[in-house]
Amino acid sequence: MGEVELMETSDFFEGRQGQEGEPMTPLAQRNPDLCTACEAPPDARCLQAEINEAALCSLILDLHDGLVQNLFAAFSQVHSLRQAIAREGAGTETSSLDRHLRRIGELIEASLQEIRSFVGAFGPEELGEQDLGAMVEGLAMQREDLSGIPIQVEVAEDLPPVSLPVKIALYRILQEALSNAYRHAQARHQWVRLFQANGSLHLEVTDDGQGFNPEEVLGPGPTKGSHLGLRGMRDRVRMLGGEFGVESRPGQGTTIRVRIPL
Ligand SMILES: Nc1ncnc2c1ncn2[C@@H]1O[C@H](COP(=O)(O)OP(=O)(O)OP(=O)(O)O)[C@@H](O)[C@H]1O
Ligand SMILES: [Mg+2]
């Protein structure tokens, strides 16, 4: 397929032209289940206000001080075991044991890395000042390095300050959307747009990969297998009283749209 064309801001959740020139009805109308246009749980926005940023801050510190130290200790144990095995010599049993230990070590390292980037993005000193646009650009650059897929980022200059829960939700959603495009789409390009319009903050993540049928993943019914990423994105947006939509078809690329009221 060709590249997915990015839509005009004002057309975001309104009727507009589709990728192949057909008129498009609003996302919510086309697929109410997928769009999950949060019929604003009446107190969803209060919920956002109630989330205590100080508690979040302390949770992030606990993650760092507790989990990181434990993971690091576990990693050292694995390292010592591998050294002991190396001293024993390489029998079939020991080399299979070493393979498993190496894998465990890699998983622990990946978890340490993940916590470090999260704490790096939301550490106490960044809490107040962390600029949303810079956070999005930084994460996209990090993913571009990891995946080798070029990511074009467009961040509006007039973004308002947002609360920590909103920042964390956007960070996680972007992380998952970019990771999905890398893992499932065989995309050649990705696009990220962040802007405000009509009293809301909008995040759009597009790839030109193989696409899929979102209804199979987000439609009613139990989650198939362990696919939690898209449902998690949708739940995060719901919690903030916003709207979440996925546009994708096999062979047609994918666009994730998020709108969060300001
Ligand atoms: N950008 C994409 N391009 C193509 N297929 C996608 C894309 N995003 C999601 N999918 C499809 O939707 C499925 C569900 O995605 P979801 O993120 O919910 O779960 P997952 O990535 O399989 O597992 P995880 O729980 O680790 O996120 C994927 O397995 C994949 O088939
Ligand atoms: Mg996923």
Side-chain angles (χ1 to χ4, degrees), residues 176 180-181 183-185 207 210-212 217 226-230 254:
E176 175 63 19
N180 272 353
R183 286 171 59 201
H184 308 301
D207 69 65
Q210 64 189 15
F212 68 112
V217 184
S226 58
H227 307 301
L228 294 176
L230 287 167
T254 299

Side-chain angles (χ1 to χ4, degrees), residues 176-187 190 205-207 209-214 217-218 223-224 226-233 246 248 253-256:
E176 175 63 19
L178 293 174
S179 150
N180 272 353
Y182 173 61
R183 286 171 59 201
H184 308 301
Q186 275 100 51
Q190 285 173 279
V205 187
T206 298
D207 69 65
Q210 64 189 15
F212 68 112
N213 178 357
V217 184
L218 286 173
T223 314
K224 283 185 206 136
S226 58
H227 307 301
L228 294 176
L230 287 167
R231 284 176 185 260
M233 290 188 214
V246 181
S248 187
T254 299
T255 296
I256 302 288

Side-chain angles (χ1 to χ4, degrees), residues 63-246:
L63 260 183
H64 179 262
D65 296 345
L67 267 187
V68 167
Q69 309 317 324
N70 287 345
L71 282 172
F72 192 74
F75 185 73
S76 305
Q77 295 284 326
V78 170
H79 184 68
S80 307
L81 264 177
R82 289 191 68 201
Q83 281 181 330
I85 286 172
R87 282 196 297 274
E88 288 287 311
T92 322
E93 260 177 49
T94 52
S95 71
S96 139
L97 192 59
D98 186 59
R99 243 195 345 269
H100 287 299
L101 280 172
R102 193 179 64 220
R103 182 71 193 122
I104 294 171
E106 284 166 359
L107 288 170
I108 296 176
E109 264 191 307
S111 307
L112 278 168
Q113 185 55 44
E114 155 73 2
I115 295 174
R116 285 202 187 104
S117 21
F118 189 75
V119 172
F122 299 107
E125 62 279 13
E126 283 83 3
L127 276 183
E129 314 99 58
Q130 170 87 318
D131 177 74
L132 181 63
M135 182 191 85
V136 164
E137 279 164 356
L139 184 55
M141 269 166 64
Q142 218 181 61
R143 299 299 315 186
E144 195 175 54
D145 274 356
L146 270 177
S147 67
I149 304 172
I151 304 176
Q152 194 175 315
V153 183
E154 208 182 296
V155 170
E157 280 175 12
D158 61 347
L159 295 177
V162 296
S163 70
L164 184 62
V166 169
K167 270 184 209 166
I168 292 181
L170 289 174
Y171 180 89
R172 284 305 193 194
I173 290 168
L174 179 59
Q175 199 177 34
E176 175 63 19
L178 293 174
S179 150
N180 272 353
Y182 173 61
R183 286 171 59 201
H184 308 301
Q186 275 100 51
R188 283 177 301 126
H189 294 96
Q190 285 173 279
W191 293 264
V192 175
R193 289 180 77 204
L194 180 68
F195 55 91
Q196 69 166 324
N198 307 322
S200 291
L201 193 61
H202 297 261
L203 174 72
E204 216 183 35
V205 187
T206 298
D207 69 65
D208 63 355
Q210 64 189 15
F212 68 112
N213 178 357
E215 200 160 0
E216 281 176 13
V217 184
L218 286 173
T223 314
K224 283 185 206 136
S226 58
H227 307 301
L228 294 176
L230 287 167
R231 284 176 185 260
M233 290 188 214
R234 182 179 66 181
D235 292 348
R236 282 182 191 277
V237 177
R238 271 184 174 167
M239 289 269 291
L240 296 168
E243 290 181 42
F244 175 73
V246 181

